[in-house]
Amino acid sequence: MPENIIVEVSNYRNTPKKVSIKAYCNTDKNLAGTMVIPLDQYESAGLIQSLTLGMNNNNHVISDKCKALLNYISSGATIRMNCYAR
């Protein structure tokens, strides 16, 4: 696993009612695992629970992205919060 992985949580650019969660590092700007989730779900369940719920999704693409993000976090990735209030 590459070092210096950052998981960034930010407002989704197209709508203020969604949150974007993506991972990147110094060598690869976009690691597998960018997710967009509803802001309400993020606010009520939190980051880890939202990704866990997504991991249990029947869609394998969504499930794999959530697993990748959870693996980055469990491996000690830096979590950068870049969200603004609605």
Side-chain angles (χ1 to χ4, degrees), residues 16-34:
K17 295 184 179 188
K18 298 210 181 242
V19 174
S20 172
I21 305 167
K22 63 182 175 181
Y24 58 90
C25 71
N26 293 342
T27 58
D28 185 5
K29 294 297 179 190
N30 288 313
L31 297 173
T34 301

Side-chain angles (χ1 to χ4, degrees), residues 7-61:
V7 174
E8 182 177 272
V9 180
S10 59
N11 293 90
Y12 189 58
R13 67 181 183 275
N14 294 335
T15 175
K17 295 184 179 188
K18 298 210 181 242
V19 174
S20 172
I21 305 167
K22 63 182 175 181
Y24 58 90
C25 71
N26 293 342
T27 58
D28 185 5
K29 294 297 179 190
N30 288 313
L31 297 173
T34 301
M35 286 293 304
V36 176
I37 60 171
L39 180 62
D40 293 338
Q41 176 184 342
Y42 174 74
E43 287 178 338
S44 65
L47 176 62
I48 303 300
Q49 186 65 29
S50 294
L51 292 174
T52 303
L53 290 170
M55 190 175 70
N56 296 327
N57 192 314
N58 290 336
N59 184 326
H60 293 296
V61 173

